[in-house]
Amino acid sequence: MTKQVDLTFVRDADGLSADRVRAWLRVLFAMTLTGFAIWIFSARNAIDISGKPIGSDFMSFYAAGNLALHDQAVAAWNLPRHQAAQDAIFGQRLGYWAFFYPPPFPLICIPFALVPYGWAVCLWLTSTTTAAIITLKRWASSFADTRRLGVLPFLAFPALWINIGNGQNAGLTTAIMTGGFMCLNRRPLLAGAIWGLLVIKPQMGLALPFILAAAGRWKAFAATGVSAIVYGLITTAILGSDSWGAFMDASSLARQTLEDGLVGHGKMQSLFAIARHWGLPSVGAYGLQLTGAITAITIVVMAIRKHRPTTAALAALTGAATPLLSPFLLDYDLLILALPLIWIAGEGIRTGFLPWEKAALLCGFVLPLIAHTVATHLYLPISPVVIMGLLFIVMRRLERYPYGPSVSEKHTAGGASFHEPLESSNRQAK
């Protein structure tokens, strides 16, 4: 007879008690902090021992901001001129970091170009990381008791540090996404105004219109679109209409970077990257990406229409669906997974964990730490699989608690509700 493998220890993960989780988070945070301290203090004049600037991707942002500051914004999308601007930062060529962002992004880079690079990257990462942690923690405290773990889960999340190490903008986009959900119930117009800021990185907002429409949040839906247009008009007034043309002209380089894996297919975390990593032609890879994106957003919309989830659950669905939609997704962008991870953990602590939830949380938490290495060396791009698993876990909870598990909803001191009230008991009876 064939002996069956007992997966109970994985399914229930009883060994992952709160005390053990807290202990391992301390270890992970301490190791990460030590590694980053060594990296930073071994650098000289903001250049690390490998010859790259601290927060190397920020070189692209800093150069774009500096060009915009001197009325040369269109040069950010001109490779030779953008290269020259980067070379001028340290007076030598350290490499090239491309700029594929739309014109509103250089606007937010301008203030940082007013100070030397070392100070600028420090201010950039401190402000955006702090914004992400504060908004995530406040959002989490609206539906879960986070007092026992404090800020530790946020500080130990590997995606946070991958973003810091790259000098990237995932802290900012995560803060924008979370901030919008914090205002959605009581201040939908403000929520839309906040979400409109995702015009700086549109692929991170692809899921929002579908989710807001499915949930009937039409004020926020309209405000998001209007604010994005307004921010675009403000950008045009400041940087000129030529900036949009230059951005569009640079799209061919962005497409080449994606299709030819110029940043490494292992660093890319999308379904498209899986296909290209395994040798599929670009057409087939785009087909796989489109199929996966349509499937993901369809099941999310159907779940929202069926279950009318709370605002917190909407945020979790958005955080899980967003990474599945765009072909251009890098490892630092996985910081958005904090939304479904926090929601699943919070609801599990409050109502009890369902089978496989702890295992899914562990996989989602460590994913940013291992995804690049596993994809590069083992040819196993695991991110889409893990992300789909998290989406499934969120939707399974909605099936278990059709109108959301909360009986009452919390409100902040400022009056912004993070959860929407459940439908009336009469409607539940129906």
Side-chain angles (χ1 to χ4, degrees):
M1 294 180 62
T2 303
K3 185 177 180 180
Q4 292 185 342
V5 179
D6 187 4
L7 295 178
T8 303
F9 73 102
V10 178
R11 183 194 65 194
D12 298 332
D14 292 331
L16 289 177
S17 64
D19 290 338
R20 285 184 179 176
V21 169
R22 194 159 44 243
W24 280 111
L25 287 175
R26 289 195 188 103
V27 171
L28 180 59
F29 176 60
M31 292 175 62
T32 304
L33 197 60
T34 300
F36 267 77
I38 294 172
W39 174 54
I40 291 172
F41 286 111
S42 64
R44 294 291 181 269
N45 298 319
I47 300 176
D48 65 22
I49 58 176
S50 70
K52 293 182 178 181
I54 296 294
S56 55
D57 285 0
F58 185 71
M59 283 280 284
S60 173
F61 307 162
Y62 187 82
N66 195 40
L67 289 167
L69 182 64
H70 293 90
D71 297 323
Q72 302 177 53
V74 293
W77 298 278
N78 180 288
L79 195 153
R81 296 176 68 185
H82 192 227
Q83 174 75 79
Q86 292 185 29
D87 295 346
I89 296 172
F90 289 99
Q92 59 180 309
R93 179 162 296 186
L94 300 176
Y96 180 67
W97 292 268
F99 190 79
F100 299 138
Y101 295 91
F105 194 84
L107 280 184
I108 65 173
C109 298
I110 288 176
F112 298 95
L114 296 171
V115 297
Y117 179 87
W119 284 106
V121 70
C122 181
L123 290 170
W124 169 261
L125 292 173
T126 300
S127 59
T128 57
T129 302
T130 301
I133 292 174
I134 289 176
T135 52
L136 285 169
K137 192 172 189 309
R138 285 197 64 197
W139 174 71
S141 66
S142 70
F143 61 89
D145 185 0
T146 60
R147 290 172 296 179
R148 291 186 63 190
L149 293 177
V151 76
L152 191 57
F154 307 96
L155 293 177
F157 189 28
L160 188 76
W161 294 94
I162 291 172
N163 180 71
I164 292 172
N166 284 279
Q168 264 293 340
N169 52 38
L172 177 59
T173 55
T174 300
I176 291 171
M177 184 69 79
T178 310
F181 278 108
M182 289 170 64
C183 301
L184 179 57
N185 276 351
R186 301 288 288 276
R187 299 172 183 174
L189 298 182
L190 177 58
I194 293 172
W195 282 327
L197 293 170
L198 287 175
V199 70
I200 65 173
K201 194 169 183 176
Q203 67 265 36
M204 300 308 292
L206 287 177
L208 270 176
F210 299 98
I211 287 175
L212 292 177
R217 304 302 186 100
W218 297 111
K219 286 185 179 179
F221 180 96
T224 301
V226 170
S227 61
I229 293 172
V230 170
Y231 299 146
L233 292 174
I234 292 172
T235 299
T236 303
I238 297 174
L239 300 184
S241 58
D242 290 347
S243 61
W244 291 99
F247 165 64
M248 295 303 296
D249 290 341
S251 62
S252 60
L253 178 58
R255 186 174 62 252
Q256 182 184 0
T257 300
L258 173 65
E259 295 176 355
D260 296 344
L262 299 184
V263 297
H265 289 307
K267 192 170 180 64
M268 287 283 186
Q269 303 300 312
S270 64
L271 285 168
F272 181 93
I274 283 185
R276 294 294 289 148
H277 202 59
W278 285 348
L280 249 65
S282 294
V283 173
Y286 281 122
L288 178 63
Q289 179 68 52
L290 182 61
T291 301
I294 292 175
T295 301
I297 205 65
T298 299
I299 62 176
V300 166
V301 166
M302 291 175 63
I304 293 171
R305 298 292 294 174
K306 178 180 179 181
H307 300 302
R308 300 181 60 85
T310 63
T311 302
L314 282 179
L317 287 168
T318 305
T322 295
L324 297 171
L325 303 189
S326 172
F328 212 104
L329 180 82
L330 286 93
D331 50 1
Y332 47 76
D333 292 321
L334 296 177
L335 184 56
I336 196 68
L337 292 181
L339 290 171
L341 290 173
I342 290 170
W343 185 78
I344 294 168
E347 294 302 306
I349 291 171
R350 194 170 58 79
T351 65
F353 286 97
L354 300 176
W356 302 104
E357 282 191 336
K358 289 184 180 181
L361 285 171
L362 178 60
C363 290
F365 190 85
V366 303
L367 175 65
L369 184 63
I370 65 173
H372 188 184
T373 301
V374 171
T376 301
H377 299 291
L378 300 180
Y379 294 92
L380 293 173
I382 58 176
S383 289
V385 176
V386 174
I387 296 168
M388 289 176 187
L390 289 175
L391 181 58
F392 168 78
I393 292 293
V394 173
M395 295 182 66
R396 186 180 63 169
R397 271 206 165 261
L398 295 182
E399 288 287 345
R400 179 65 63 91
Y401 303 101
Y403 295 95
S406 299
V407 176
S408 60
E409 305 288 359
K410 289 187 177 182
H411 303 273
T412 63
S417 171
F418 297 88
H419 265 300
E420 66 180 36
L422 296 182
E423 300 293 330
S424 67
S425 56
N426 290 336
R427 178 164 185 173
Q428 290 189 41
K430 296 179 182 180

